């Protein structure tokens, strides 16, 4: 995930811990949270998790992440469901600078990029 960039998403897995099965159809019951750089957990502004595919990716959901919510070096995404016996698997993401993708490292270890300023 890029640091301090809008229009990104985070995916997470949800399962029923009484059966061990992936949980489908639970999007309306899920609330996701973010902790930036080990700070306080706050609810994501995207309050509507979207199920990716109950057939082809059962248990996988996606939320939008705002620019402000991605503005940290370390992001902890976690969540909860109001459905009994359902758990959301959290994840830690370390961000990278917005233009880090402009740099390329070849298989031989040579670093190249479109440099407009150096120093």
């Amino acid at each position: 995930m890029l640091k301090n960039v809008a229009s990104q998403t985070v995916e997470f897995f949800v399962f029923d811990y009484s059966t061990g099965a992936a949980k489908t159809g639970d999007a309306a019951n899920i609330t996701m949270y973010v902790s930036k750089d080990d700070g306080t957990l706050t609810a994501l502004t995207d309050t509507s998790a979207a199920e990716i595919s109950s057939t082809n990716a059962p248990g996988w959901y996606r939320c939008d992440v705002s620019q402000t919510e991605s503005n940290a070096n370390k992001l902890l995404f976690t969540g909860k469901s109001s459905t009994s016996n359902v758990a959301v698997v959290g994840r830690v993401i370390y961000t990278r600078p917005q233009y880090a993708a402009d740099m390329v490292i070849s298989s031989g270890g040579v670093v190249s990029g479109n440099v407009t300023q150096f120093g």
Side-chain angles (χ1 to χ4, degrees), residues 27-32 43-50 62-64 69:
N29 302 319
I30 296 171
T31 303
M32 291 300 296
L44 288 181
T45 54
D46 180 6
T47 57
S48 56
R62 176 178 291 135
C63 276
D64 295 325
E69 291 164 340

Side-chain angles (χ1 to χ4, degrees), residues 39-107:
T40 304
L41 280 173
T42 57
L44 288 181
T45 54
D46 180 6
T47 57
S48 56
E51 189 167 10
I52 295 172
S53 172
S54 62
T55 303
N56 298 319
W60 283 96
Y61 294 80
R62 176 178 291 135
C63 276
D64 295 325
V65 178
S66 72
Q67 182 172 349
T68 301
E69 291 164 340
S70 71
N71 191 12
N73 295 315
K74 177 185 176 187
L75 302 170
L76 167 65
F77 292 99
T78 188
K80 63 182 179 180
S81 171
S82 59
T83 305
S84 296
N85 299 325
V86 171
V88 176
V89 179
R91 60 187 298 189
V92 174
I93 296 176
Y94 291 91
T95 60
R96 58 185 188 185
Q98 182 174 357
Y99 298 106
D102 293 345
M103 184 173 61
V104 177
I105 303 174
S106 73
S107 60

